[in-house]
Amino acid sequence: MYAVISFSHKNVGVALREKLHFNDTDSIALLKQLNNIDNVLESMLLATCNRCEIYAYLQDSDVSKDLDSNSLNHYALAICAEMITKLANFKGIDKEILQNNAHIVLQSHAVHHVFSVASSLMSVVIGETQISGQMKAAYKLSYDNNLCAKALTRLLHFAFRCAAQVRTLTDISKNPVSVASIAVNLGLEYLEKNLQKANILVVGVGEMGLLCLKNLVKHDVNLTLCNRTKSNAQELLKTHNLENFVSILDFILLQTHINEYDIVFFAVAGGIILTHEMLQKLEKKRIFFDLSIPRNLAFDTTQLRTLGHHNIEVIDVDDLKSKAATHINARKESAQIAMGIVGQFVLDFEHWLSGLGVNPVIKAMREQAKLASYKEINRAIKKGYIPEALRNNIEKLLHSAFNEFLHAPTMKIKAMADDERSDSMLEAIANVFGAQDKILLNRYKCEYDTTKQ
């Protein structure tokens, strides 16, 4: 049974989400704990600025096999509660807070949720392309550390296929935008006609920082990049041919020069890097975008107002949700079409799984052999090659011959059952013998390349 535990921008504020931030080392450590829970077979963790989600595959125990659907859900919810407790203990958060805020979905609803996330239908900015790479990276981390296998691999493979189909058949990702691009556009609107004189700083060389840079270099502004490791900033500019358009500020000089900039985009890992004590009270209007989780700024607009900073506005990732409303409305029709595609993919996935088991394949293979033998016996009797009196004996002979012939293939197919690498082969065999009506996989492993969006 598939299960999803979600803490996202849809149900949890930024203050709690930043406490649920994970690096790769912490993700692996938590997933190992989750997989040690009874009946949790596989798990992966998707942790971004806008969501922290656990995707798990639960084993049907001997007890659960005798339960009706409602009781089975209670059984699964009890396991999810254990996973939330592990998460709460790992992060030092009151488990009641997490239990009360968690969005939990099971079985086909869990599949639908994962497909929708992969298709960017549950993103702050519908149609943004970052989520695809983030999901692939999360899956790769879990798979490479033996924390997920057959079940989640099948789920994620279909999720990526679903996302690709959504992008192909709708305009949802036409002229793709992101949280970063919306922040940049908002910042540029803030400056109105003073773009040429504007000093803009981007702090951080991660994905969000790079997206900010790429959107900003299109405009005539004075652009500076700052990062903890200067060599990484230099390498980023060189790799993307931005050396002639962006200057570099040493991180140790950030506090000294922060008040020189009209707009600052903060997107660096590590939590708080700027406090209100570092700010000067100036007449000019300034805007700070805190695009990082955990947040980089120790203050918000309201707190600055009480301290006398009336010309600085702070916008975090949750504030951008309302700013993205125009974009969301413009893509509403495409989103509705996309949801229909997701729904069809959920049905296709469940149908595919039902036909992927070895028993239907073996049954179809033997049924084909049986029908072929009966057909040839009937033709031989009709043409007078053998008498009707020998029908039963010949049927037994052919049955024994086909059993002998199919014994080795049957054993090999059964051996494939627990090997996720055999999915494509099983599907091909099922298609040949009529157990599957179409081929849905054309390769096994999910794409690992997180740079191509």
Side-chain angles (χ1 to χ4, degrees):
M1 177 192 296
Y2 290 106
V4 170
I5 302 172
S6 174
F7 303 91
S8 77
H9 65 94
K10 289 182 173 292
N11 62 310
V12 174
V14 65
L16 181 55
R17 291 205 314 277
E18 69 179 351
K19 295 178 181 178
L20 295 172
H21 172 74
F22 282 83
N23 57 33
D24 287 353
T25 301
D26 287 345
S27 293
I28 293 169
L30 174 66
L31 293 175
K32 287 180 178 179
Q33 291 187 23
L34 298 183
N35 283 8
N36 283 331
I37 296 174
D38 287 345
N39 296 318
V40 176
L41 296 182
E42 304 176 26
S43 63
M44 62 171 276
L45 179 69
L46 177 63
T48 72
C49 292
N50 294 311
R51 66 184 65 251
C52 174
E53 296 186 336
I54 296 169
Y55 301 159
Y57 186 71
L58 313 181
Q59 182 180 37
D60 292 334
S61 70
D62 293 336
V63 175
S64 68
K65 292 176 182 177
D66 298 325
L67 299 177
D68 57 31
S69 59
N70 289 333
S71 299
L72 186 60
N73 283 343
H74 285 303
Y75 159 81
L77 288 173
I79 298 176
C80 289
E82 288 189 62
M83 289 193 281
I84 292 173
T85 299
K86 292 284 187 184
L87 175 61
N89 292 339
F90 191 90
K91 282 296 185 180
I93 304 173
D94 186 341
K95 70 176 182 179
E96 295 299 324
I97 294 176
L98 292 187
Q99 291 281 8
N100 293 335
N101 284 279
H103 175 61
I104 301 174
V105 283
L106 305 170
Q107 303 188 91
S108 61
H109 299 291
V111 174
H112 190 279
H113 179 96
V114 174
F115 289 6
S116 298
V117 171
S119 302
S120 78
L121 296 177
M122 302 184 75
S123 298
V124 172
V125 181
I126 294 176
E128 56 91 6
T129 55
Q130 284 178 275
I131 190 63
S132 177
Q134 291 165 339
M135 288 190 77
K136 289 173 184 177
Y139 164 75
K140 180 182 187 301
L141 182 69
S142 180
Y143 186 87
D144 287 350
N145 286 277
N146 299 315
L147 297 165
C148 74
K150 178 173 63 177
L152 288 182
T153 293
R154 289 171 171 173
L155 178 68
L156 267 294
H157 188 109
F158 258 78
F160 297 142
R161 288 188 69 255
C162 178
Q165 192 80 334
V166 166
R167 290 193 298 269
T168 300
L169 298 181
T170 73
D171 292 331
I172 201 165
S173 293
K174 187 177 181 181
N175 300 318
V177 296
S178 63
V179 169
S181 64
I182 288 180
V184 167
N185 289 336
L186 183 63
L188 295 175
E189 290 173 7
Y190 221 72
L191 291 173
E192 298 176 344
K193 298 180 181 180
N194 299 316
L195 280 181
Q196 291 184 352
K197 300 178 182 178
N199 292 316
I200 299 179
L201 175 67
V202 175
V203 184
V205 296
E207 187 175 13
M208 192 73 75
L210 176 59
L211 287 173
C212 287
L213 288 174
K214 286 183 174 180
N215 282 280
L216 287 164
V217 293
K218 302 173 186 176
H219 304 275
D220 187 13
V221 296
N222 299 317
L223 188 56
T224 304
L225 175 63
C226 180
N227 190 59
R228 282 195 175 89
T229 306
K230 185 176 180 179
S231 60
N232 290 345
Q234 293 171 328
E235 181 64 26
L236 180 79
L237 297 183
K238 181 178 179 180
T239 300
H240 296 277
N241 299 315
L242 298 175
E243 297 165 291
N244 297 327
F245 306 98
V246 183
S247 57
I248 293 179
L249 174 69
D250 284 337
F251 193 79
I252 58 174
L253 298 177
L254 178 63
Q255 181 176 346
T256 305
H257 293 274
I258 189 64
N259 294 286
E260 300 173 6
Y261 297 96
D262 302 289
I263 303 177
V264 185
F265 298 90
F266 295 90
V268 65
I272 300 298
I273 62 171
L274 192 68
T275 63
H276 70 84
E277 292 88 355
M278 302 175 187
L279 302 176
Q280 297 173 5
K281 295 178 181 178
L282 304 175
E283 292 297 323
K284 68 176 182 178
K285 183 165 61 175
R286 290 180 283 171
I287 182 168
F288 293 166
F289 290 92
D290 193 348
L291 306 179
S292 180
I293 296 290
R295 288 172 287 184
N296 291 153
L297 305 183
F299 48 81
D300 57 25
T301 302
T302 302
Q303 291 169 328
L304 289 183
R305 295 286 187 273
T306 63
L307 296 169
H309 294 280
H310 298 289
N311 293 325
I312 302 177
E313 182 172 357
V314 177
I315 296 179
D316 62 26
V317 289
D318 278 4
D319 295 326
L320 288 172
K321 288 171 64 175
S322 60
K323 310 296 183 184
T326 301
H327 159 79
I328 292 172
N329 290 332
R331 298 194 174 184
K332 190 167 291 184
E333 182 177 347
S334 290
Q336 291 176 344
I337 297 172
M339 289 304 295
I341 295 172
V342 169
Q344 185 59 53
F345 261 83
V346 172
L347 295 176
D348 285 347
F349 179 66
E350 293 181 338
H351 175 70
W352 178 75
L353 284 182
S354 67
L356 196 60
V358 296
N359 288 334
V361 176
I362 294 171
K363 181 178 179 182
M365 190 168 62
R366 291 183 172 276
E367 186 66 22
Q368 289 287 333
K370 180 179 177 181
L371 291 176
S373 64
Y374 285 167
K375 180 180 177 180
E376 291 304 312
I377 291 172
N378 288 335
R379 187 172 68 169
I381 292 174
K382 185 177 180 180
K383 289 184 175 292
Y385 297 155
I386 57 175
E388 176 68 33
L390 294 178
R391 175 187 289 273
N392 289 338
N393 290 336
I394 294 173
E395 285 180 357
K396 290 177 182 178
L397 176 63
L398 286 178
H399 184 71
S400 297
F402 274 112
N403 273 344
E404 180 64 26
F405 174 75
L406 293 174
H407 177 73
T410 298
M411 292 299 101
K412 288 187 176 181
I413 289 173
K414 287 183 176 180
M416 293 179 182
D418 296 321
D419 186 353
E420 66 272 16
R421 293 170 299 181
S422 300
D423 281 358
S424 296
M425 289 185 285
L426 280 174
E427 185 183 38
I429 295 169
N431 182 263
V432 168
F433 288 101
Q436 279 274 21
D437 53 3
K438 58 182 176 179
I439 295 289
L440 295 177
L441 288 179
N442 54 20
R443 57 184 294 189
Y444 169 68
K445 274 203 172 182
C446 300
E447 300 91 332
Y448 276 179
D449 185 358
T450 61
T451 61
K452 296 179 181 178
Q453 303 297 328

